[in-house]
Amino acid sequence: MKALCKTFLLLLASCVLASCGGGGGGSHSAFGPPGNDTTLTLTATTTTLPLCQFGAGASQCNFFGSPFISEVTATWRHNDGQLVSGTNTVNVSVTPTNIITFSTLNHGPPPSPPALDQFHTLLGSGPVDVTAGVGTIFVHADNVPGSGILSVTAIDPVSHQTVTAQLTINVAGAAPGLPSTIIASSGGGVYISGSNGPQSTIVTANVLNGSSSPVPDPSGFNNVQFQIVGPSTSDARLTGISATGGSATGTTVSTVTHSGIANVTFQSGTQQGPVQVKATADRSDNNVDNGISDPVSATTTVVVSDGKLFSLTLTSPGSNAPAILINRVSGGVTLNDQTVTIPPDPDATYSFTVSAIGNDRQGNPVLPGTQIKFGSIDSPVDINNNYLISGVHGDPQESGTTFTATDGHFTTAGGGAGPGDSLLVFGKLVDGNSDLESAARIASVHSATSLSTSTPFNSNDTTGVSVNYGPVLPYIIGRAQIGNITSPSSTNSVGVASTTLNYPVSALGHVTAIWAQGTGTDGVTGQTNLVTDINLAGFPGVAPAQIVVSPNPIPGNITLTVFACLYDHLGSPIQGVAFDFAFTNLGVGSGKLDNISTAGTVPDLTGANGCVATTVVTTGIAAATGTDGPSLTFSVGDAFKKVPIVASGNLILLANPSSLGGSGGEVLLTLLNGNGTPVPGVQLVGTCINAGLASGPGVTNAQGQTTATITANLDGFGSAGTGSCTFTTNTGSPTATVTLQGVDICTLNVSPIPPQCGP
């Protein structure tokens, strides 16, 4: 018994010690829960705010002194009345956040005046600092009336218990909760019964009061009526759920809002065309079951159609989007985007995404699975990308297979046309002839101005009567000898059929005519017809384009040949492009390019190598001072290259090209005197950084020229190298520099990822 008592006393002593140690003067006991040593109180400049119809964050409501903001002071005290010292953090929250939100003050840096202070981002919950027992919270009214609760919680620094305080903030609306505005909308077009397309959609009514807030949802009665109001021949129906939970179907149904929104289902019949559905509420009592004495309504339209092809429009994402596939020798493709360059094993062909958007007569997307054929013509053309068998006076026989052209040369131009070639007629380019937009195979050629097709042309009767405008339509005849296009394709859920145009990188910029065609239904006669769209384009390269100008810089005050070259992002040349040019900052001097002064368009197009040779003449060019000296800029679209013009009376050394890729190449060096006369018999030398010379340079010939071959290996895994080679005479003057730029192979979208690039 003595041992037992001793044990009990030890336990009691340990409890007493635990209750007294480590502490801080709290009024708590080891045998009961700690008490509250501090209290929070909230006081507000106002607890009723007007509704901000623009939203809590709008500048119209969010400013110092705004009547839409209440300044709430949070005071934190000990039970003895002393403020809690130091800077502490309390947690603040408001609910619901569609009625009120809160912020704190963001003071500008000193010595900024108070006028530059602003509110922090509006919050639903977050921490707020309380310094020396006082913190400030700004409560903002939103655009929904009602009561919001501001809650502040803190951790008692002594008892470590949670201390809370709450304040109710009322946001008063400007109007009672009766309907004032109704907004009707539908989920989109539908298709006739039996069409295999969607035959129903949701029609929605958003009912608002005078404060632009949702009306209160009724209990036990309907507050929105939906009605099909036109056309009278429509056999569509509406289905909705009434306030009692039952289903109602007909041309007029009543239903109830949920959070101010009412819905019904629109169900199509067999009649095509737009159908108007009106939604109505009663401003007098928000109840349509007892009659509508003060209606407020809105109307929406649902388009009902058959989903059969009526029109086609060709489109493509453009070379800046991920639209070009870089085909690979090893199989598969790598998708290009604006950060992608060359895969490890390109096969020198691209595939470009082409799409056709199909609509029916009412403008709804054509039904999924509609087959669309594609084709292209890229030959025969002349050096300027003009089709050789073409004209502007074509006359297709409506509903027949004969095509004639008063300007035809079907048997001679471009070697002549023959069976199997394609005839493209641009009917959409001439008003009243869109139905004659055609892509047809030639069955036989009768003469220079007459041929027959294997399929008949449309009737050109979109008005209900066939119209013949005579020989007024542009046309081209040819075949695909360079590229090809994958065909056919089928439309998806939004009426789009996509395919790929495939072509070699050696033909970038070469003209091609792309066509899409499907079988549709004549909206007037109900007969089947062919729906076609045609676009002219050039085989696109991968963006962004690169312009290289040689020489760079351009010697001033002489006449010389300047080459402008256009390459795609992967270094492939782009032909058939016209550069724009402009001289700038010439001072008292003057400049001409191909005899065009100051600025204009280069008369010739880029050739198969992507380059065009121009004759540049400058006079009176002074020595440049600073970075804005005399220059010549070549541009195409968004791509441009600005090259300085340097005046000098000494020898001039030119390098063509002035820029190469990561593996190098051959460079033509030309040595001239100050007036542009070639300087023969001079030994040139070259030094390279991160590159080498496989041959040359040698001694200049009678034209002042010699060549050098640069070798480099600047493409890498995880990095792209740069290099340069500088050429000069044995005296060290003049100089010409060729730059080299490699590619980081690991930046490519290649699958599988090369092992050198890591996981």
Side-chain angles (χ1 to χ4, degrees):
M1 188 68 177
K2 183 177 181 180
L4 179 61
C5 291
K6 184 175 181 180
T7 303
F8 176 78
L9 291 173
L10 288 174
L11 288 172
L12 178 61
S14 66
C15 291
V16 172
L17 288 173
S19 68
C20 298
S27 58
H28 53 278
S29 166
F31 297 101
N36 289 327
D37 290 274
T38 58
T39 59
L40 277 170
T41 58
L42 302 176
T43 57
T45 56
T46 179
T47 57
T48 301
L49 296 173
L51 179 143
C52 173
Q53 62 177 326
F54 305 102
S59 59
Q60 295 94 328
C61 301
N62 192 13
F63 57 89
F64 291 110
S66 167
F68 305 98
I69 299 175
S70 176
E71 184 175 333
V72 179
T73 301
T75 305
W76 196 2
R77 296 180 183 275
H78 293 285
N79 280 339
D80 61 4
Q82 296 294 315
L83 294 169
V84 175
S85 62
T87 298
N88 300 278
T89 299
V90 298
N91 293 313
V92 179
S93 64
V94 293
T95 183
T97 54
N98 64 334
I99 294 177
I100 58 172
T101 52
F102 80 93
S103 71
T104 56
L105 196 61
N106 182 17
H107 292 288
S112 298
L116 294 183
D117 292 349
Q118 55 185 317
F119 296 113
H120 276 294
T121 303
L122 303 187
L123 300 171
S125 63
V128 172
D129 289 338
V130 173
T131 303
V134 177
T136 302
I137 305 162
F138 295 93
V139 178
H140 301 251
D142 214 313
N143 59 358
V144 176
S147 295
I149 304 297
L150 169 68
S151 300
V152 180
T153 62
I155 302 298
D156 190 306
V158 178
S159 67
H160 305 297
Q161 297 297 297
T162 300
V163 183
T164 65
Q166 288 187 333
L167 184 67
T168 299
I169 302 292
N170 296 305
V171 177
L178 294 174
S180 177
T181 302
I182 188 166
I183 302 169
S185 61
S186 68
V190 296
Y191 302 91
I192 59 175
S193 177
S195 64
N196 276 335
Q199 295 158 40
S200 66
T201 188
I202 299 296
V203 177
T204 299
N206 189 2
V207 187
L208 306 173
N209 65 16
S211 299
S212 298
S213 302
V215 296
D217 297 331
S219 176
F221 59 89
N222 298 301
N223 63 332
V224 179
Q225 180 189 86
F226 291 89
Q227 181 182 14
I228 295 176
V229 294
S232 59
T233 57
S234 174
D235 56 353
R237 291 292 181 268
L238 302 174
T239 299
I241 304 298
S242 69
T244 60
S247 176
T249 300
T251 58
T252 301
V253 297
S254 296
T255 187
V256 64
T257 58
H258 299 279
S259 299
I261 297 174
N263 296 308
V264 293
T265 299
F266 177 97
Q267 297 176 320
S268 67
T270 59
Q271 299 297 315
Q272 293 189 59
V275 178
Q276 292 185 318
V277 180
K278 182 168 71 173
T280 305
D282 193 340
R283 281 185 286 218
S284 64
D285 60 0
N286 194 32
N287 185 343
V288 299
D289 287 346
N290 58 2
I292 303 174
S293 59
D294 188 7
V296 56
S297 63
T299 302
T300 187
T301 300
V302 179
V303 177
V304 181
S305 60
D306 60 6
K308 296 179 180 179
L309 185 63
F310 178 76
S311 68
L312 270 177
T313 302
L314 276 164
T315 184
S316 63
S319 57
N320 280 311
I324 294 181
L325 300 173
I326 307 165
N327 298 315
R328 301 180 57 192
V329 172
S330 59
V333 294
T334 180
L335 182 62
N336 169 67
D337 61 30
Q338 296 187 32
T339 64
V340 172
T341 50
I342 311 170
D345 57 347
D347 71 354
T349 66
Y350 290 164
S351 294
F352 184 65
T353 300
V354 176
S355 297
I357 303 174
N359 291 338
D360 63 19
R361 180 82 183 208
Q362 304 297 332
N364 281 343
V366 68
L367 287 173
T370 300
Q371 189 178 89
I372 305 297
K373 295 187 296 182
F374 293 88
S376 64
I377 296 177
D378 53 46
S379 302
V381 300
D382 63 19
I383 193 172
N384 291 318
N385 270 337
N386 297 314
Y387 283 96
L388 294 174
I389 315 177
S390 62
V392 295
H393 295 293
D395 185 8
Q397 179 188 12
E398 289 75 9
S399 302
T401 58
T402 300
F403 178 82
T404 59
T406 56
D407 59 353
H409 32 270
F410 305 157
T411 57
T412 56
D421 284 344
S422 295
L423 165 68
L424 303 185
V425 182
F426 296 85
K428 295 179 181 179
L429 295 181
V430 180
D431 288 344
N433 289 271
S434 61
D435 195 37
L436 292 176
E437 184 100 350
S438 307
R441 295 296 180 190
I442 296 175
S444 59
V445 177
H446 309 306
S447 68
T449 60
S450 177
L451 57 82
S452 294
T453 59
S454 56
T455 55
F457 298 99
N458 292 337
S459 301
N460 202 28
D461 60 349
T462 54
T463 62
V465 177
S466 180
V467 180
N468 180 5
Y469 286 89
V472 296
L473 300 182
Y475 65 93
I476 59 175
I477 296 173
R479 57 202 73 97
Q481 291 184 283
I482 299 173
N484 61 55
I485 194 165
T486 304
S487 180
S489 181
S490 296
T491 57
N492 59 17
S493 60
V494 293
V496 176
S498 297
T499 187
T500 53
L501 175 68
N502 313 296
Y503 50 94
V505 298
S506 60
L508 300 189
H510 189 287
V511 69
T512 183
I514 305 167
W515 55 267
Q517 188 176 80
T519 301
T521 300
D522 189 307
V524 177
T525 66
Q527 301 293 319
T528 59
N529 63 354
L530 293 176
V531 182
T532 309
D533 192 38
I534 308 168
N535 272 355
L536 288 176
F539 291 127
V542 178
Q546 306 173 72
I547 299 174
V548 174
V549 179
S550 303
N552 183 1
I554 297 171
N557 301 322
I558 63 172
T559 299
L560 78 163
T561 300
V562 174
F563 294 90
C565 303
L566 182 65
Y567 305 99
D568 80 341
H569 187 47
L570 309 189
S572 299
I574 302 177
Q575 61 180 286
V577 175
F579 280 106
D580 291 326
F581 74 91
F583 291 94
T584 53
N585 299 325
L586 298 187
V588 298
S590 63
K592 289 185 177 182
L593 185 148
D594 290 347
N595 212 32
I596 303 172
S597 299
T598 309
T601 301
V602 177
D604 295 327
L605 306 179
T606 55
N609 61 353
C611 299
V612 60
T614 67
T615 300
V616 174
V617 181
T618 54
T619 58
I621 305 298
T625 56
T627 58
D628 291 329
S631 65
L632 173 59
T633 299
F634 289 89
S635 61
V636 175
D638 295 333
F640 68 92
K641 183 69 174 181
K642 184 178 181 180
V643 181
I645 301 173
V646 179
S648 172
N650 301 319
L651 292 176
I652 300 164
L653 183 59
L654 310 177
N656 183 23
S658 59
S659 178
L660 290 169
S663 57
E666 186 175 83
V667 177
L668 175 66
L669 301 167
T670 305
L671 185 64
L672 307 172
N673 62 21
N675 61 12
T677 303
V679 180
V682 176
Q683 175 68 53
L684 300 184
V685 295
T687 57
C688 297
I689 299 174
N690 296 332
L693 293 172
S695 63
V699 177
T700 57
N701 59 18
Q703 288 76 42
Q705 297 177 333
T706 184
T707 60
T709 301
I710 300 174
T711 59
N713 187 18
L714 302 177
D715 299 337
F717 296 94
S719 63
T722 60
S724 65
C725 288
T726 300
F727 300 95
T728 184
T729 65
N730 288 324
T731 65
S733 177
T735 62
T737 300
V738 177
T739 60
L740 298 97
Q741 175 64 58
V743 217
D744 179 4
I745 297 174
C746 293
T747 62
L748 312 176
N749 286 348
V750 178
S751 180
I753 298 173
Q756 299 92 327
C757 298

